Every structure is written in structure tokens, then in C-alpha cells.
Amino acid sequence: MANEPPFFEKYKAIFQRSADEKEKSIIVDAIEELELPLIDLGHLNLGPLERQECIEKMARAATEWGFFQIVNHGIPEELLTRLKQEQIKVFQLPFEKKSEDKFLNLSVQGYRWGNPLATSLRNLSCSEVLHISLNDISKMDEYNKLRPFFLARSTIEEYAEKANVLAQTLAEHLAESLGIKASYFRENCSPTSSSLRLNRYPPCPYSSMMFGIIPHTDTDFLTIVSQDQVGGLQLNRDGRWVSVKPNPETLVVNIGDFYQALSNGTYKSITHRVIANQECERYSAAYFYCPTYETVIESCSKPSLYRKFSFKEYREQIQKDLKATGDKVGLSRFLL
Ligand SMILES: O=C(O)CCC(=O)C(=O)O
Ligand SMILES: [Fe+2]
């Protein structure tokens, strides 16, 4: 189809090699499907007891799972629907259009697909993404003037604003039991330091041999994911892969590398992946709650598991490792 990125032409050599080598299936089946701990944020506004219970439940989930799902989160259903409609509209555009300079690419590689550094099917994601750094959002108007535009700036901005408030609220509540001062996130994150990633997973004929997104941890404090009913998100729990039961009525929250470092390993940035689906396409939107580049992340308790590092330094290390090995490596690089 004209809208699909040419995965099979671009990565022909990798597909060919896998077929020749009869690469074993990477997906282990008979994986358990689990429901994530459900946190009702409405309880934050009930009495002090309910509020405390809600915060404790959230901290427990961040410690034991690194993942939870939330309801009564303050992002209107109607806005989530509008965002999804925008997302569908964008990804339905012809591939040539999507990859044009000054169209979706508000920043370098804003629109991405596959993985240019892939060495095998194991590190090649069967997905296309539009990564919007919220710092670049004002460029949308300029691009709008160049061509009849594709993506409503107002919807993106509205969503980003609400997601930012929600992310800050979650981050602050999670900080309470760690003794991190309440203003920490307000001081180090700004509405433009975070990013929004719109994901589309096309139906993938090689779904037993490649992932929708390869296993990874997120480079942020926490991520808020809105997903549809298709499913495919899996997380690594004590060495075993488990599937997250999809529930489009909730938002999924996961702890990222920076909160793991900040909490000195109490909260877990868990490796997760998305399984490709042979028949159905899947959409998700991930909001990455990030500090400004200069922010230095330091463990909240001593002795520290990690040496302190800035976001900028962390990003640069990831890029170096990706180039050298094809893998992110991540927090283990900063262990003391
Ligand atoms: O699509 C999903 O459910 C998760 C996406 C994800 O892990 C990411 O974008 O980092
Ligand atoms: Fe992720």
C-alpha cells in the first residue's frame, strides 16, 4: 500500500539472511496475560485516608511492577479520540509525503520507521513513529504555511498540556515516600522538555520473527501511554515476558530510567516491547516526561547506585552505544 513504509525493500538483505539462516522464532508463545495494577486517581480528591492509600498503591506498583494503569486521570475521552483521529490521518498519508523534509520532520528524524542501525530482524522494529519534541511545536505553523497541513497543532498542544499536568502530578505523588522535595519536577521539567511519540504498528507478515518495538526501557522520568484495543505490549517481569491486557479505557504509566536513578533503584524502569500482529494494525501514543537537557540526575538516597549524570550526557551515551553496538545499554553504564 502506498502509505506503508517499504520495510521489505529497505531491509531486504536482513530479511534474506534471516530466511537463509532459518532464524529461529524470537517470540516465545504461551506468555501469560496480566492486568496491570489499576490506580483510580479520583481517590486523590477524596478524604486524606483514600488519598494516602492511592499514593501508596502507586508507589508499590512503581516498585514492584514499574508499570500501572490509571483511570479518572483528567484527560478527556474526547481529546484522546481526537488525538487518535489525527494520528490515523497522518499515518494514512502516502509514504513519500510522510518522509518529505519539512513536512512531518519538525526535528531531524521526526518521522521514523524501522531502524537504520538494525543488524538483524531482532533489532528491527516493525513500526513507524512520529516523534514530536514539544520544543518544536511552534514550527508546525511554519510547516502549515508551506503545505496544507496534516496534523492539528491545537490537538497536539492540548494533549501535551494535559499530559504534562498529569505526568507532573504522578511524578510528585511518587516522590512523596522517597523524601524528594515537591518542587523537584516543576524546577527541572518544563512543558517543552518532554516529547510525544505517535506509534503505528502495521500488520506484519513476519510477526514471529520481528517486534513491533524491540525490547527497551524509556529514557525519561515516566511515560504515559494511550493504546487501542489490539494489544501487544509486553513487559519483562522477573525474567519472564508477560502481556499487558489492553484496556483502552485506561492510560498505562511506566517508570523510566531517570526515575529509577533518582529513586536510587526503588522504582523500576522495566524492559518492555511490543509484539507485531500479523492481521491488525495498532496505534499508541506515548508521552515521555523528561527534564531539560542540563538537568543533573542524582540518587535521592545514599549510598548511590548510580553516578550523577545530566540528561544531555545520558542521551549522548545512548547515541554512542547505539552506533557501536545497535543497543541502547542505558542505566547500567552509570552504575557505581
Ligand atoms: O505501543 C506501546 O504500547 C508502547 C510504546 C513504547 O514503549 C514506546 O513508545 O516507548
Ligand atoms: Fe517504551
Side-chain angles (χ1 to χ4, degrees):
M1 268 201 298
N3 68 315
E4 292 294 358
F7 284 103
F8 308 107
E9 288 91 85
K10 166 104 186 253
Y11 298 104
K12 203 168 170 181
I14 289 180
F15 280 104
Q16 191 60 52
R17 205 163 53 239
S18 305
D20 290 349
E21 290 169 7
K22 297 208 170 36
E23 200 166 283
K24 282 211 299 290
S25 170
I26 48 166
I27 314 295
V28 187
D29 43 22
I31 288 175
E32 253 182 289
E33 188 178 60
L34 293 179
E35 262 178 71
L36 295 175
L38 179 69
I39 315 284
D40 184 344
L41 296 184
H43 287 201
L44 292 171
N45 304 319
L46 299 178
L49 202 66
E50 285 90 347
R51 181 182 183 279
Q52 198 48 37
E53 268 173 14
C54 177
I55 293 171
E56 277 167 18
K57 194 171 171 192
M58 210 188 302
R60 209 161 41 242
T63 306
E64 292 170 8
W65 287 75
F67 268 83
F68 51 93
Q69 53 182 337
I70 52 176
V71 286
N72 290 320
H73 42 65
I75 302 194
E77 189 63 44
E78 173 279 324
L79 177 55
L80 287 163
T81 307
R82 213 158 7 106
L83 181 71
K84 168 106 187 265
Q85 282 162 353
E86 289 296 324
Q87 194 171 347
I88 294 176
K89 208 171 75 186
V90 165
F91 287 119
Q92 273 176 350
L93 289 166
F95 172 69
E96 275 73 35
K97 198 111 203 103
K98 289 187 280 195
S99 38
E100 255 174 52
D101 195 26
K102 292 225 166 201
F103 187 60
L104 292 176
N105 287 299
L106 295 172
S107 56
V108 181
Q109 284 247 305
Y111 172 67
R112 311 171 199 163
W113 55 282
N115 169 11
L117 300 172
T119 52
S120 78
L121 285 185
R122 280 160 205 277
N123 51 23
L124 177 60
S125 297
C126 190
S127 53
E128 50 179 342
V129 315
L130 178 59
H131 189 93
I132 305 171
S133 163
L134 296 168
N135 218 356
D136 289 334
I137 212 156
S138 55
K139 283 193 203 161
M140 286 176 99
D141 288 345
E142 180 198 329
Y143 284 30
N144 249 333
K145 272 186 225 127
L146 290 174
R147 300 160 211 234
F149 207 53
F150 61 95
L151 191 59
R153 174 175 172 178
S154 56
T155 302
I156 299 293
E157 261 183 336
E158 201 180 329
Y159 182 76
E161 242 168 63
K162 294 231 163 26
N164 180 55
V165 172
L166 175 59
Q168 187 181 309
T169 306
L170 293 168
E172 284 177 359
H173 286 310
L174 284 166
E176 280 183 33
S177 59
L178 300 171
I180 296 167
K181 60 176 183 170
S183 58
Y184 177 89
F185 295 97
R186 248 168 296 149
E187 282 165 12
N188 292 299
C189 304
S190 81
T192 56
S193 58
S194 296
S195 56
L196 176 64
R197 191 190 290 165
L198 307 179
N199 297 310
R200 172 178 176 265
Y201 305 88
C204 177
Y206 297 88
S207 58
S208 67
M209 287 159 72
M210 64 192 294
F211 298 110
I213 290 193
I214 59 172
H216 66 282
T217 58
D218 290 349
T219 306
D220 60 2
F221 283 121
L222 57 85
T223 312
I224 299 172
V225 180
S226 122
Q227 61 165 334
D228 61 20
Q229 73 297 338
V230 175
L233 175 62
Q234 298 186 338
L235 57 96
N236 197 286
R237 194 155 160 72
D238 306 323
R240 283 182 324 132
W241 286 102
V242 296
S243 292
V244 172
K245 193 166 187 219
N247 181 352
E249 312 289 305
T250 66
L251 293 173
V252 170
V253 177
N254 65 281
I255 298 296
D257 296 347
F258 298 160
Y259 223 141
Q260 177 165 326
L262 178 69
S263 68
N264 209 11
T266 300
Y267 296 155
K268 310 292 185 310
S269 176
I270 294 291
T271 306
H272 53 286
R273 65 187 191 186
V274 174
I275 296 302
N277 188 307
Q278 197 146 8
E279 276 103 40
C280 301
E281 67 177 351
R282 172 174 184 266
Y283 287 93
S284 70
Y287 180 85
F288 299 96
Y289 187 54
C290 295
T292 56
Y293 258 33
E294 304 69 40
T295 299
V296 173
I297 318 247
E298 194 173 359
S299 302
C300 67
S301 60
K302 299 278 172 300
S304 300
L305 291 175
Y306 307 98
R307 73 170 174 82
K308 58 180 178 183
F309 56 83
S310 69
F311 182 14
K312 183 167 181 283
E313 190 185 352
Y314 197 81
R315 273 279 292 253
E316 284 169 359
Q317 186 62 54
I318 291 176
Q319 289 312 316
K320 252 189 244 163
D321 288 332
L322 280 176
K323 281 208 182 91
T325 68
D327 282 320
K328 169 182 155 178
V329 186
L331 261 190
S332 58
R333 275 257 180 253
F334 296 84
L335 274 169
L336 282 170

Coordinates of all heavy atoms in Angstrom, one line a residue, residues 41-78:
L41 N -7.2 7.6 40.1 CA -6.7 8.9 40.6 C -7.8 9.8 41.2 O -7.5 10.8 41.9 CB -6.0 9.7 39.4 CG -4.8 9.0 38.9 CD1 -4.1 9.9 37.8 CD2 -3.7 8.7 40.0
G42 N -9.1 9.4 41.0 CA -10.2 10.1 41.6 C -10.0 10.0 43.2 O -10.5 11.0 43.9
H43 N -9.4 9.0 43.7 CA -9.2 8.9 45.1 C -8.3 9.9 45.7 O -8.3 10.1 46.9 CB -8.7 7.5 45.5 CG -9.7 6.4 45.3 ND1 -9.6 5.2 45.9 CD2 -10.8 6.4 44.5 CE1 -10.7 4.4 45.5 NE2 -11.4 5.1 44.7
L44 N -7.5 10.6 44.9 CA -6.6 11.7 45.4 C -7.5 12.8 45.9 O -7.0 13.6 46.8 CB -5.7 12.2 44.3 CG -4.6 11.2 43.8 CD1 -3.9 11.8 42.6 CD2 -3.6 10.9 44.9
N45 N -8.7 12.9 45.4 CA -9.6 14.1 45.8 C -10.6 13.7 46.9 O -11.5 14.4 47.1 CB -10.2 14.7 44.6 CG -9.2 15.1 43.6 OD1 -8.2 15.6 44.0 ND2 -9.4 14.8 42.3
L46 N -10.5 12.4 47.4 CA -11.5 12.0 48.4 C -10.8 12.4 49.8 O -10.0 13.3 49.8 CB -11.8 10.5 48.3 CG -12.4 10.1 47.0 CD1 -12.6 8.6 47.0 CD2 -13.8 10.8 46.8
G47 N -11.1 11.7 50.8 CA -10.5 12.0 52.1 C -9.1 11.8 52.2 O -8.5 11.1 51.3
P48 N -8.4 12.2 53.3 CA -6.9 12.0 53.4 C -6.5 10.5 53.4 O -5.5 10.2 52.9 CB -6.6 12.7 54.8 CG -7.9 13.1 55.4 CD -9.0 13.0 54.4
L49 N -7.4 9.7 54.0 CA -7.1 8.3 54.0 C -7.1 7.6 52.6 O -6.1 6.9 52.3 CB -8.2 7.6 54.9 CG -7.8 6.2 55.5 CD1 -6.6 6.5 56.5 CD2 -9.0 5.6 56.1
E50 N -8.1 8.0 51.8 CA -8.2 7.4 50.4 C -7.0 8.0 49.6 O -6.4 7.2 48.8 CB -9.5 7.9 49.7 CG -10.7 7.2 50.2 CD -11.4 7.8 51.4 OE1 -10.8 8.7 52.0 OE2 -12.5 7.5 51.7
R51 N -6.7 9.2 49.9 CA -5.5 9.9 49.1 C -4.2 9.1 49.5 O -3.5 8.7 48.6 CB -5.4 11.3 49.6 CG -4.3 12.1 48.9 CD -4.3 13.5 49.4 NE -3.3 14.3 48.7 CZ -2.0 14.2 49.0 NH1 -1.5 13.5 50.0 NH2 -1.1 14.9 48.3
Q52 N -4.0 8.9 50.7 CA -2.8 8.2 51.2 C -2.7 6.8 50.6 O -1.7 6.3 50.1 CB -2.7 8.2 52.7 CG -1.4 7.9 53.3 CD -0.3 8.8 52.7 OE1 -0.5 9.9 52.3 NE2 0.9 8.2 52.4
E53 N -3.9 6.1 50.6 CA -3.9 4.7 50.1 C -3.6 4.7 48.6 O -2.9 3.8 48.1 CB -5.3 4.1 50.3 CG -5.4 3.4 51.6 CD -6.8 2.9 51.9 OE1 -7.7 3.0 51.0 OE2 -7.1 2.6 53.1
C54 N -4.1 5.7 47.9 CA -3.9 5.8 46.5 C -2.4 6.0 46.2 O -1.9 5.4 45.3 CB -4.8 6.9 45.9 SG -4.6 7.2 44.2
I55 N -1.8 6.9 46.9 CA -0.4 7.2 46.7 C 0.5 6.0 47.0 O 1.4 5.6 46.3 CB 0.0 8.4 47.5 CG1 -0.7 9.7 47.0 CG2 1.5 8.7 47.5 CD1 -0.6 10.9 47.8
E56 N 0.1 5.3 48.1 CA 0.9 4.1 48.5 C 0.8 3.0 47.4 O 1.7 2.3 47.1 CB 0.4 3.6 49.8 CG 1.1 4.3 51.0 CD 0.4 4.1 52.3 OE1 -0.3 3.0 52.4 OE2 0.6 4.9 53.2
K57 N -0.4 2.9 46.9 CA -0.7 1.8 45.8 C 0.2 2.1 44.6 O 0.7 1.2 44.0 CB -2.2 1.8 45.5 CG -2.6 0.6 44.7 CD -4.1 0.5 44.6 CE -4.5 -0.6 43.6 NZ -5.9 -0.5 43.3
M58 N 0.2 3.4 44.3 CA 1.0 3.8 43.1 C 2.5 3.6 43.3 O 3.2 3.0 42.4 CB 0.8 5.4 42.9 CG 0.9 5.8 41.5 SD 0.9 7.6 41.4 CE -0.6 8.1 42.2
A59 N 3.0 3.9 44.5 CA 4.4 3.7 44.8 C 4.7 2.2 44.8 O 5.8 1.8 44.4 CB 4.7 4.3 46.2
R60 N 3.8 1.4 45.3 CA 4.0 -0.1 45.3 C 4.1 -0.6 43.9 O 5.0 -1.4 43.6 CB 2.9 -0.7 46.1 CG 3.3 -2.0 46.8 CD 2.4 -2.5 47.9 NE 0.9 -2.3 47.6 CZ 0.1 -1.6 48.3 NH1 0.6 -0.9 49.3 NH2 -1.2 -1.5 48.0
A61 N 3.2 -0.1 43.0 CA 3.2 -0.6 41.6 C 4.5 -0.2 41.0 O 5.1 -0.9 40.2 CB 2.0 0.0 40.9
A62 N 5.0 1.1 41.2 CA 6.2 1.6 40.6 C 7.4 0.7 41.1 O 8.4 0.6 40.4 CB 6.4 3.0 40.9
T63 N 7.3 0.3 42.3 CA 8.4 -0.5 42.9 C 8.4 -2.0 42.4 O 9.4 -2.5 42.1 CB 8.3 -0.5 44.5 OG1 8.2 0.8 44.9 CG2 9.4 -1.2 45.1
E64 N 7.2 -2.6 42.4 CA 7.1 -4.0 42.1 C 6.9 -4.3 40.7 O 7.3 -5.4 40.2 CB 5.9 -4.6 42.9 CG 6.2 -4.6 44.4 CD 5.0 -5.0 45.3 OE1 4.0 -5.4 44.7 OE2 5.1 -4.8 46.5
W65 N 6.3 -3.4 39.9 CA 6.0 -3.6 38.5 C 6.7 -2.6 37.6 O 7.0 -3.0 36.4 CB 4.5 -3.4 38.2 CG 3.6 -4.4 38.8 CD1 3.2 -4.6 40.0 CD2 2.9 -5.4 38.0 NE1 2.3 -5.6 40.1 CE2 2.1 -6.2 38.9 CE3 2.9 -5.7 36.6 CZ2 1.3 -7.2 38.4 CZ3 2.1 -6.8 36.2 CH2 1.3 -7.5 37.1
G66 N 6.9 -1.4 38.0 CA 7.4 -0.4 37.1 C 6.4 0.1 36.2 O 6.6 0.9 35.3
F67 N 5.2 -0.5 36.3 CA 4.0 -0.2 35.4 C 2.7 -0.2 36.2 O 2.6 -0.9 37.1 CB 3.9 -1.4 34.4 CG 4.6 -1.2 33.1 CD1 5.9 -1.5 33.0 CD2 3.9 -0.7 31.9 CE1 6.6 -1.4 31.8 CE2 4.6 -0.6 30.7 CZ 5.9 -0.9 30.6
F68 N 1.8 0.7 35.8 CA 0.5 0.6 36.3 C -0.5 1.3 35.3 O 0.0 1.8 34.3 CB 0.3 1.2 37.7 CG 0.9 2.6 37.9 CD1 0.1 3.7 37.8 CD2 2.2 2.8 38.3 CE1 0.6 5.0 37.9 CE2 2.7 4.1 38.4 CZ 1.9 5.2 38.3
Q69 N -1.8 1.1 35.6 CA -2.8 1.8 34.7 C -3.6 2.7 35.5 O -3.8 2.4 36.7 CB -3.6 0.8 33.9 CG -4.3 -0.3 34.7 CD -5.0 -1.3 33.8 OE1 -5.4 -1.0 32.7 NE2 -5.3 -2.5 34.4
I70 N -4.1 3.8 34.9 CA -4.8 4.8 35.7 C -6.2 5.1 35.1 O -6.3 5.1 33.8 CB -4.0 6.1 35.8 CG1 -3.5 6.6 34.4 CG2 -2.8 5.9 36.7 CD1 -2.8 8.0 34.5
V71 N -7.2 5.4 35.9 CA -8.5 5.9 35.5 C -8.7 7.2 36.2 O -8.0 7.5 37.2 CB -9.6 4.9 35.7 CG1 -9.6 3.8 34.8 CG2 -9.7 4.5 37.2
N72 N -9.7 8.0 35.8 CA -10.0 9.3 36.3 C -8.8 10.2 36.4 O -8.4 10.8 37.4 CB -10.6 9.2 37.7 CG -12.0 8.6 37.7 OD1 -12.8 8.9 36.8 ND2 -12.3 7.7 38.6
H73 N -8.1 10.2 35.2 CA -6.8 10.8 35.1 C -6.9 12.3 34.6 O -5.9 13.0 34.5 CB -5.9 10.0 34.1 CG -6.6 9.6 32.9 ND1 -7.1 10.4 32.0 CD2 -6.9 8.3 32.5 CE1 -7.7 9.7 31.0 NE2 -7.6 8.4 31.3
G74 N -8.1 12.7 34.2 CA -8.2 14.1 33.9 C -8.0 14.4 32.4 O -8.2 15.5 32.0
I75 N -7.7 13.4 31.6 CA -7.6 13.7 30.1 C -8.9 13.2 29.5 O -9.2 12.0 29.6 CB -6.4 12.9 29.5 CG1 -5.1 13.4 30.2 CG2 -6.3 13.2 28.0 CD1 -3.8 13.0 29.5
P76 N -9.7 14.2 29.0 CA -11.0 13.8 28.5 C -10.9 12.7 27.3 O -10.0 12.8 26.5 CB -11.6 15.1 28.0 CG -10.7 16.2 28.5 CD -9.4 15.6 28.8
E77 N -11.9 11.8 27.4 CA -12.0 10.8 26.4 C -12.1 11.4 25.0 O -11.4 10.9 24.0 CB -13.4 10.1 26.7 CG -13.7 8.8 25.9 CD -12.7 7.8 26.2 OE1 -12.4 7.5 27.4 OE2 -12.2 7.1 25.2
E78 N -12.8 12.5 24.9 CA -13.0 13.2 23.6 C -11.6 13.7 23.0 O -11.4 13.6 21.8 CB -14.0 14.3 23.8 CG -14.2 15.3 22.7 CD -13.1 16.4 22.6 OE1 -12.6 16.9 23.6 OE2 -12.8 16.7 21.4

